[in-house]
C-alpha cells in the first residue's frame, strides 16, 4: 500500500473530467502530499469499485454522474447538507477518527453559490431565479440558493411533476415554486441544471424569461460553451456563464473536507481557462 494519501473522482464517461488537474494544482499550492486519480465505472460497478478503493487505503472520492444517489446510500454518515440535498458528491474515509466511517457530503451547492457570489461578484439577495431541471444536479443546489438569499426560486422542468415534487420538498426553506411554462416575466438569473447540455440539447425556457438584465449560468461546461449559453447570448442576456467556476469551487470544498485546508481557487480557475 502506498504511504501517500490517495483520492479519485468516480463517475461514468469521465473522459472530459478536469478534477484530476484541479486537485493536482490544489495539492501543489497547499503542499499537501496526495495523489488524485480517476475511476470510470458504470452504475452496476459503483459499490464494488468504492469498496476496493477504500479497502486499498483510499482516503476520499469525488462522485459524479451517474453515482450521486448511490453514494448517498453507501455513506455510513451524512453531513446535513448532503442529507438535505438527497445526493452525495464527496466521500471521506475515516472521518472523525472512525477508521470505518465513510462520510458523505455534498459540496455542489456551496460551489455554485461561491462561484456566483465571490468569483462573479453577483449578489443573490432578493433575486428572482429560474432553475431549469429537477434531477440530482438541481436538487443539490436548491437549499444553498435559498439560504444564500434568493428572493424567489422557480423550478421549471420538462417533466413538470418532478419540479412540483422538488418545490414541495424544499418549501420550508423559502419562496420556491414550480413553474409549468406560465409566463413568469424576466428573471434576474437563469441556472441550467438539466443534463441537456451534455447531449448538445437546449432545454425549454419559459417565454420572456431572459431579458437584458438576466444572467444565464450553465452548470455544465464545455470547451466551446454550451447550447444553452449560445441561446442566452442570442436572447440578449446580460451575461452567459459556464460552470467551470462551480467545478473548481466544489472541488475546493471537498479538498477542505479531506485535508482541512482551503486552497486558493483563483489561480486554478485561471489555469483551466487558458
Ligand atoms: P442529473 O443528476 O444530471 O440532474 P437526472 O437526475 O437524470 O441527472 O436529471 C436530468 C435533468 O435534466 C432532468 O430534469 C431532465 O428532465 P426530465 O425530468 O424531464 O427528464 C432534464 N433534461 C435532460 N435532457 C433534457 C432536455 N433535452 N430538455 C430539457 N430537460 C432535459
Amino acid at each position: 500500500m502506498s504511504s501517500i494519501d490517495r483520492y479519485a473522482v468516480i463517475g461514468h464517461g469521465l473522459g472530459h473530467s478536469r478534477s484530476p488537474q484541479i486537485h493536482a494544482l490544489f495539492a501543489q499550492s497547499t503542499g499537501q502530499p496526495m495523489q488524485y486519480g480517476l475511476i470510470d465505472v458504470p452504475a452496476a460497478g459503483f459499490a464494488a469499485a468504492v469498496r476496493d478503493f477504500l479497502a486499498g487505503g483510499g482516503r476520499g472520492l469525488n462522485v459524479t454522474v451517474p453515482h450521486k444517489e448511490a453514494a448517498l446510500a453507501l455513506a455510513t454518515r451524512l453531513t446535513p447538507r448532503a442529507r438535505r440535498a438527497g445526493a452525495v458528491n464527496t466521500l471521506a474515509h475515516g472521518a472523525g477518527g472512525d477508521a470505518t466511517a465513510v462520510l458523505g457530503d455534498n459540496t455542489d451547492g456551496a460551489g455554485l453559490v461561491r462561484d456566483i457570489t465571490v468569483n462573479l461578484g453577483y449578489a443573490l439577495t432578493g433575486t428572482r431565479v429560474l432553475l431549469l431541471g429537477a434531477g440530482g444536479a438541481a436538487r443539490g443546489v436548491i437549499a444553498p440558493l435559498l439560504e444564500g438569499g434568493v428572493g424567489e426560486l422557480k423550478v421549471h422542468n420538462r417533466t413538470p411533476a418532478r419540479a412540483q415534487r422538488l418545490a414541495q420538498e424544499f418549501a420550508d426553506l423559502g419562496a420556491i415554486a414550480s413553474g409549468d411554462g406560465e409566463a413568469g416575466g424576466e428573471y434576474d438569473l437563469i441556472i441550467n441544471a438539466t443534463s441537456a447540455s451534455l447531449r448538445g440539447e437546449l432545454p425549454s425556457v419559459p417565454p420572456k424569461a431572459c431579458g437584458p438584465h438576466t444572467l444565464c449560468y450553465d452548470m455544465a461546461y464545455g470547451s466551446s460553451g454550451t447550447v444553452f449559453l449560445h441561446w442566452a447570448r442570442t436572447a440578449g442576456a446580460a451575461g452567459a456563464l459556464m460552470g467551470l467556476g462551480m467545478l473548481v469551487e466544489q472541488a475546493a470544498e471537498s479538498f477542505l473536507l479531506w485535508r482541512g485546508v482551503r486552497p486558493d481557487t483563483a489561480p486554478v480557475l485561471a489555469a483551466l481557462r487558458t
Side-chain angles (χ1 to χ4, degrees), residues 65-66 68-69 132-139 156-160 162-163 192-204:
V65 183
K68 289 184 185 180
E69 282 167 41
L132 305 175
R139 71 164 36 253
H156 176 81
N157 193 45
R158 180 175 61 183
T159 311
R162 290 184 83 191
N192 182 17
T194 73
S195 54
S197 295
L198 306 179
R199 285 185 296 279
E201 293 164 5
L202 180 67
S204 86

Side-chain angles (χ1 to χ4, degrees), residues 34-168:
M34 58 187 276
Q35 277 175 0
Y36 190 101
L38 196 140
I39 304 171
D40 196 315
V41 279
F46 174 72
V50 172
R51 271 197 303 274
D52 286 353
F53 181 74
L54 300 182
R59 305 287 306 148
L61 288 163
N62 280 133
V63 182
T64 186
V65 183
H67 305 311
K68 289 184 185 180
E69 282 167 41
L72 180 86
L74 187 143
T76 60
R77 286 168 43 204
L78 293 172
T79 61
R81 62 186 177 180
R83 186 173 297 111
R84 183 80 230 209
V88 157
N89 80 333
T90 307
L91 292 169
H93 190 203
D98 174 358
T100 61
V102 182
L103 178 68
D105 193 10
N106 192 316
T107 66
D108 282 334
L112 172 71
V113 168
R114 205 175 159 91
D115 189 38
I116 291 174
T117 59
V118 179
N119 297 342
L120 304 172
Y122 184 86
L124 282 175
T125 312
T127 50
R128 293 186 73 232
V129 178
L130 177 65
L131 182 66
L132 305 175
R139 71 164 36 253
V141 301
I142 291 175
L145 284 170
L146 289 171
E147 286 159 1
V150 162
E152 185 191 332
L153 184 61
K154 188 71 72 82
V155 187
H156 176 81
N157 193 45
R158 180 175 61 183
T159 311
R162 290 184 83 191
Q164 284 158 14
R165 275 202 297 276
L166 271 194
Q168 280 161 8

Side-chain angles (χ1 to χ4, degrees), residues 227-238:
V227 181
F228 171 71
L229 295 179
H230 290 304
W231 167 87
R233 283 187 206 100
T234 311

